[in-house]
Amino acid sequence: MNYFESNVISNKQLTDDIFVLEVERKDATAAAGQFFMLKCWDNELTLMRPISIFKAEADTLHFMYRVIGKGTQRLSQLHKGDKLQLLGALGTGYPIQQVHGRIALVGGGLGIPPLCQTAKELAAHGAEVVAHIGYRDKLFALEDFKPYCKDVLFSIEKGEIGYHGFVTDLLKPEQFDAVFTCGPEIMMRKVAAMCAEKGVACWCSMENRMACGIGACLGCSIKTTEGMKRCCKDGPVFRAETLFQ
């Protein structure tokens, strides 16, 4: 973990409210499923914003985010050459080294971006990766998965192409050695239940409001079968059976 200042390389708008911010990495560590706290404002009582790693390159970090409030609105206004502060990498990511064979990734909405770096690291580890990606009405990041995946399946609730329905309709857990998922809790609950029924190991990336990002404030604590856990420090990635009963 490191607190540092970086420079913006680009800040591209993909849809009405989704952007990809690329910044200089500055030798920061970064692993699949981890996140950074980002800030581009001074002298304001506005907390840093937790943003998951979309892609980590040798010299750059990419963050995909949705504009939903004051902080992300400020991030969306950054331009090439602007400066921002980062804290990270933070959290416990996906157990890339613990899994082998055929791995399914299941993402929905803004749970999709963290799975791209996950696919990249799994592929480098020798796993065969199949991505299952669920959208509401607009496609994004689809092409970013293809270099690392054996196949990329996608669903869309409202659209003219692709499977119309839920992304969980496309998942067949029994065909995989492990499943990693990230997205809306209702989706992850379904994925976890499907995996439990078939005896397949499953890991979920949880989301909760984070203030500090380092486990000090306890504001992002959630209930698990092992007691209260902090999303930012103990997670955000947890074994599914500790979350959903």
Side-chain angles (χ1 to χ4, degrees):
M1 178 182 69
N2 191 23
Y3 182 79
F4 61 99
E5 185 174 76
S6 186
N7 299 306
V8 174
I9 296 173
S10 66
N11 197 17
K12 299 178 181 178
Q13 186 171 2
L14 302 186
T15 69
D16 292 343
D17 58 355
I18 295 177
F19 291 73
V20 174
L21 175 66
E22 181 182 6
V23 305
E24 294 177 356
R25 184 166 176 171
K26 301 286 188 178
D27 298 320
T29 60
Q34 289 188 304
F35 66 96
F36 282 77
M37 302 292 286
L38 277 63
K39 182 179 78 168
C40 62
W41 48 86
D42 294 312
N43 303 318
E44 294 182 26
L45 295 177
T46 302
L47 297 170
M48 301 181 82
R49 290 297 184 264
I51 310 290
S52 297
I53 301 165
F54 173 42
K55 289 190 287 188
E57 309 293 350
D59 299 315
T60 63
L61 295 168
H62 301 245
F63 301 97
M64 184 178 292
Y65 62 97
R66 171 174 282 136
V67 177
I68 56 175
K70 183 177 180 180
T72 47
Q73 179 65 41
R74 291 290 297 273
L75 290 174
S76 73
Q77 296 167 353
L78 289 170
H79 296 92
K80 181 179 180 179
D82 287 343
K83 297 185 181 300
L84 75 163
Q85 290 72 47
L86 293 89
L87 176 65
L90 302 171
T92 300
Y94 288 103
I96 304 296
Q97 303 300 320
Q98 297 179 31
V99 298
H100 304 276
R102 201 161 188 255
I103 312 300
L105 303 181
V106 186
L110 260 291
I112 294 170
L115 294 179
C116 187
Q117 179 66 21
T118 305
K120 179 180 179 180
E121 293 186 24
L122 283 169
H125 183 54
E128 182 181 287
V129 184
V130 178
H132 305 67
I133 305 175
Y135 299 95
R136 179 174 297 173
D137 53 9
K138 293 184 176 65
L139 302 181
F140 56 86
L142 197 60
E143 295 298 321
D144 294 283
F145 281 82
K146 292 183 178 180
Y148 316 118
C149 297
K150 171 80 171 180
D151 199 3
V152 179
L153 311 176
F154 74 94
S155 67
I156 189 165
E157 294 179 35
K158 301 176 183 178
E160 297 180 357
I161 60 172
Y163 172 77
H164 286 196
F166 299 119
V167 67
T168 49
D169 297 341
L170 304 176
L171 176 65
K172 294 179 173 53
E174 66 274 13
Q175 297 181 355
F176 298 95
D177 297 289
V179 176
F180 293 168
T181 182
C182 185
E185 184 173 323
I186 189 171
M187 180 205 78
M188 292 195 294
R189 282 182 177 274
K190 175 66 173 177
V191 172
M194 294 170 67
C195 290
E197 182 181 355
K198 300 297 182 180
V200 178
C202 178
W203 283 263
C204 305
S205 181
M206 299 298 291
E207 180 179 313
N208 209 342
R209 290 185 178 274
M210 297 180 186
C212 70
I214 59 174
C217 72
L218 306 180
C220 64
S221 296
I222 60 172
K223 290 182 179 180
T224 76
T225 59
E226 301 171 347
M228 297 299 292
K229 296 291 184 179
R230 300 158 296 179
C231 275
C232 67
K233 185 73 172 181
D234 304 311
V237 176
F238 298 90
R239 282 291 295 256
E241 63 264 29
T242 70
L243 299 171
F244 311 125
Q245 295 297 310

